[in-house]
């Protein structure tokens, strides 16, 4: 075992999880104890504790903090396999926090203990918000470390050439996976593809020596007919001796973690994949969120709406609002509203501009350096202010706050069977491809993000997209399509 000592940074997931632990403990203690101090200092507390601040109440708040911390651990919110990427980390924090306070309520009920209602309407939201925000800050720190090739797993991909190429491309195009792909091992040892994105370091006969030579700590197995069960068992023993993680990548792509469930049957690690549903209560919850969210945003941005309307009206001839026919859920057409950012006859010029740049056959009608955009239109597009009237479309139920962007009928006419799945849900004001590159993405990448959203919808993912939309809008760039 000493001959195969792990690299110095191999234990980074554990050290990172320890940092999260101390951060969680600090936040929970500060929130709970601060609430205890403030609450006991208020006048209305005198009626509950006539003799003044109750030391026993502070002890109770400390107990609340300990239960909360224990639940964060019990719900595996710092699991090394999930922290740092995806939405599962955030979902577990929410579940652990709600579970902690549910347990406190249950214990208080059976012990017939009077509890302060303000505790549940202040401590839980404040603590939960701070926990989520701290995890997001830690994740940004982790991304900066990984950009410098620190806090990463030195990974080797093993398997058939086509599967290695597919897996390598999927990992390379995804930011923040935590894998530093060192190379690949294929049955023949030949190059994976002509692109040369991943170096082939040898064939299966040199697998162990390649791992030792390059200090590999994670082996990603993508499958090959040359790796039979007996070979795999022997390989597993050698990986265990070297403390190398074994990661098996099934031939499934763009599937979120919560949809994947492992079920051991007869010694076989069978993988079950559930299908997402957006019907019944989930659809009602999403619609309720859209109504409340759009109403709040209209109120919040009422001043900006008025200012932009005046600027558009004074800048160039034409109406303030531009109504364009788009295709919504199940192919139903509706008029999508925007502040006019182009000259009055912009639609008449579109076909010739697309022909000139050779993109008239692609279902993403986007003109590079569009000459039709007015000076005011350029500014409001830069910060997506032209999209604000779509909040009215959301209120009417034609759109959602989050979802695939609606497209023109002419664009939908170019869809293949895969792209038609975009029409299974309501279109949105923002979506995954808007926060992963906005208009700079190709149609293939935009479609991939939209299909991922549809196949893996969750309420938590919607909240994260809205949060990332704020960041994307604040950055200079062209408006979403």
């Amino acid at each position: 075992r000493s001959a195969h000592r792990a690299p110095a940074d191999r234990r980074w997931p554990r050290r990172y999880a320890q940092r999260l632990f101390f951060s969680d403990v600090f936040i929970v203690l500060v929130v709970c104890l601060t609430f205890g101090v403030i609450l006991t200092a208020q006048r209305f507390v005198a009626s509950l504790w006539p003799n003044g601040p109750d030391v026993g109440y502070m002890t109770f708040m400390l107990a609340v903090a300990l239960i909360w911390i224990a639940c964060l651990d019990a719900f595996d919110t710092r699991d090394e396999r999930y922290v740092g990427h995806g939405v599962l980390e955030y979902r577990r924090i929410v579940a652990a926090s709600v579970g902690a306070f549910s347990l406190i309520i249950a214990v208080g009920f059976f012990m017939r203990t009077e509890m302060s209602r303000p505790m549940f309407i202040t401590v839980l939201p404040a603590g939960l918000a701070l926990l989520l925000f701290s995890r997001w800050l830690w994740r940004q720190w982790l991304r900066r470390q990984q950009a410098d090739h620190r806090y990463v797993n030195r990974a080797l991909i093993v398997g058939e050439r086509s599967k290695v190429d597919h897996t390598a491309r999927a990992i390379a195009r995804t930011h923040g996976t935590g894998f530093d792909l060192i190379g690949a091992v294929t049955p023949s040892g030949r190059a994976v593809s002509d692109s040369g994105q991943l170096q082939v370091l040898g064939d299966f006969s040199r697998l162990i020596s390649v791992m030792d030579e390059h200090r590999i700590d994670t082996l990603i197995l993508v499958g090959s007919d040359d790796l039979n069960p007996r070979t795999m068992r022997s390989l597993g023993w050698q990986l265990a001796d070297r403390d190398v993680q074994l990661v098996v990548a099934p031939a499934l792509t763009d599937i979120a973690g919560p949809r994947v469930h492992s079920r051991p049957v007869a010694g076989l690690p069978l993988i079950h994949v559930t299908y997402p549903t957006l019907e019944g209560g989930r659809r009602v919850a999403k619609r309720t969120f859209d109504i409340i969210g759009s109403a709040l945003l209209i109120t919040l941005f009422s001043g900006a709406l008025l200012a932009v309307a005046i600027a558009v009206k004074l800048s160039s001839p034409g109406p303030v609002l531009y109504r364009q026919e788009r295709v919504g859920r199940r192919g139903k057409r509706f008029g999508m509203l925007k502040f006019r950012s182009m000259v009055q006859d912009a639609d008449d010029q579109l076909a010739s501009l697309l022909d000139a740049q050779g993109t008239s056959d692609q279902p993403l009608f986007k003109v590079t350096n569009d000459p039709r955009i007015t000076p005011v239109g350029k500014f409001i597009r830069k910060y997506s202010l032209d999209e604000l009237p779509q909040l009215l479309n959301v209120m009417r139920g034609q759109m959602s706050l989050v979802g695939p962007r609606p497209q023109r009928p002419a664009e939908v006419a170019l869809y293949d069977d895969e792209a038609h799945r975009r029409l299974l849900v309501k279109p949105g004001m923002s979506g995954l491809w808007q926060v992963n590159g906005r208009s700079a993405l190709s149609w293939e990448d935009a479609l991939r993000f939209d299909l991922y959203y549809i196949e893996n919808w969750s309420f938590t993912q919607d909240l994260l997209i809205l949060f990332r939309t704020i960041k994307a809008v604040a950055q200079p760039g062209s408006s979403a399509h």
Side-chain angles (χ1 to χ4, degrees):
R1 181 66 176 266
S2 60
H4 305 289
R5 179 178 294 179
D9 61 348
R10 179 170 292 190
R11 299 297 181 182
W12 73 263
R14 181 172 299 176
R15 295 202 306 274
Y16 180 69
Q18 290 173 348
R19 295 180 183 222
L20 296 181
F21 170 76
F22 289 116
S23 175
D24 292 346
V25 170
F26 176 78
I27 289 173
V28 171
L29 286 176
V30 167
V31 170
C32 290
L33 297 183
T34 299
F35 173 80
V37 172
I38 294 176
L39 191 61
T40 54
Q42 299 298 318
R43 293 182 178 178
F44 71 86
V45 179
S47 62
L48 302 177
W49 296 279
N51 298 325
D54 189 352
V55 177
Y57 183 73
M58 294 300 297
T59 303
F60 171 75
M61 291 307 300
L62 180 60
V64 170
L66 293 177
I67 293 175
W68 200 344
I69 293 170
C71 284
L72 288 172
D73 186 68
F75 280 75
D76 290 330
T77 62
R78 295 178 289 271
D79 193 305
E80 298 175 2
R81 296 169 296 175
Y82 305 118
V83 294
H85 57 85
V87 301
L88 189 56
E89 177 184 1
Y90 298 121
R91 295 178 64 180
R92 289 189 174 188
I93 292 174
V94 174
S97 300
V98 173
F101 278 77
S102 299
L103 177 61
I104 293 169
I105 293 173
V107 172
F109 175 79
F110 285 109
M111 295 182 65
R112 297 183 179 180
T113 302
E114 291 291 336
M115 294 187 183
S116 174
R117 292 181 181 178
M119 181 185 71
F120 298 101
I121 62 177
T122 57
V123 173
L124 176 58
L128 180 57
L130 288 175
L131 284 172
L132 294 174
F133 183 63
S134 70
R135 290 299 183 95
W136 179 81
L137 289 178
W138 276 115
R139 187 172 292 194
Q140 305 314 302
W141 177 86
L142 181 62
R143 294 289 182 269
R144 292 193 294 271
Q145 301 299 313
Q146 292 175 340
D148 294 330
H149 298 280
R150 295 191 296 267
Y151 283 72
V152 293
N153 294 112
R154 294 174 59 85
L156 180 72
I157 303 183
V158 179
E160 296 177 356
R161 292 173 56 188
S162 60
K163 296 179 180 178
V164 167
D165 185 46
H166 176 77
T167 303
R169 290 179 183 274
I171 293 176
R173 72 190 179 200
T174 303
H175 181 62
T177 62
F179 291 120
D180 187 7
L181 298 182
I182 305 303
V185 170
T186 61
S188 63
R190 294 196 299 268
V192 177
S193 66
D194 296 334
S195 63
Q197 290 185 350
L198 194 63
Q199 181 182 6
V200 176
L201 304 176
D203 58 19
F204 285 168
S205 64
R206 296 195 64 248
L207 175 57
I208 300 302
S209 61
V210 167
M211 289 170 47
D212 294 340
E213 179 182 351
H214 293 273
R215 298 182 304 142
I216 300 299
D217 58 53
T218 301
L219 188 146
I220 302 177
L221 183 66
V222 297
S224 173
D225 292 338
D226 295 330
L227 296 175
N228 56 52
R230 175 173 293 184
T231 302
M232 281 299 306
R233 181 170 59 178
S234 176
L235 176 62
W237 292 337
Q238 297 183 73
L239 295 179
D241 291 339
R242 289 163 170 79
D243 195 21
V244 174
Q245 298 183 62
L246 175 60
V247 178
V248 179
L252 299 171
T253 57
D254 294 332
I255 295 179
R259 291 182 55 200
V260 179
H261 307 275
S262 177
R263 177 188 176 190
V265 176
L268 301 174
L270 302 183
I271 296 177
H272 287 239
V273 180
T274 59
Y275 295 98
T277 57
L278 190 52
E279 301 295 340
R282 291 162 66 91
R283 181 174 295 280
V284 172
K286 183 173 175 64
R287 178 59 185 147
T288 302
F289 177 75
D290 285 339
I291 294 174
I292 296 175
S294 59
L296 291 175
L297 290 174
I298 289 174
T299 304
L300 179 64
F301 291 110
S302 57
L305 287 165
L306 179 60
V308 174
I310 294 174
V312 172
K313 185 64 177 178
L314 298 178
S315 65
S316 60
V320 172
L321 291 179
Y322 170 67
R323 183 181 183 276
Q324 187 178 68
E325 188 178 49
R326 297 288 179 115
V327 180
R329 182 173 181 264
R330 303 295 184 186
K332 185 178 180 180
R333 301 188 181 189
F334 68 97
M336 188 182 76
L337 300 175
K338 299 177 69 174
F339 281 122
R340 183 176 56 82
S341 60
M342 294 184 177
V343 296
Q344 194 166 3
D345 60 345
D347 285 341
D348 297 335
Q349 303 177 33
L350 178 61
S352 59
L353 290 172
L354 292 174
D355 288 335
Q357 69 179 14
T359 58
S360 58
D361 60 342
Q362 298 180 11
L364 192 60
F365 290 174
K366 203 69 180 178
V367 179
T368 306
N369 299 321
D370 201 328
R372 303 170 298 166
I373 301 177
T374 65
V376 170
K378 184 176 181 180
F379 176 82
I380 63 176
R381 279 181 166 229
K382 179 179 180 180
Y383 296 102
S384 296
L385 296 175
D386 61 321
E387 309 285 346
L388 289 179
Q390 290 164 34
L391 291 170
L392 298 176
N393 292 117
V394 176
M395 287 286 290
R396 296 172 181 173
Q398 299 165 329
M399 294 177 62
S400 178
L401 290 175
V402 181
R405 284 295 289 169
Q407 293 196 292
R408 300 175 177 89
E411 293 174 299
V412 175
L414 299 175
Y415 280 7
D416 55 16
D417 291 340
E418 184 179 26
H420 268 287
R421 292 191 63 82
R422 296 179 81 254
L423 305 179
L424 293 178
V425 298
K426 283 183 182 179
M429 290 185 63
S430 183
L432 266 182
W433 68 265
Q434 281 79 17
V435 298
N436 284 278
R438 305 186 75 188
S439 299
L441 292 177
S442 66
W443 164 245
E444 290 74 16
D445 287 335
L447 177 61
R448 178 172 59 86
F449 280 120
D450 282 342
L451 294 182
Y452 180 89
Y453 172 82
I454 295 170
E455 295 295 329
N456 302 282
W457 179 87
S458 70
F459 191 70
T460 306
Q461 182 178 234
D462 276 6
L463 293 177
L464 288 176
I465 290 174
L466 289 176
F467 178 74
R468 293 175 62 189
T469 299
I470 299 174
K471 290 180 57 181
V473 169
Q475 297 172 351
S478 58
S479 175
H481 176 57

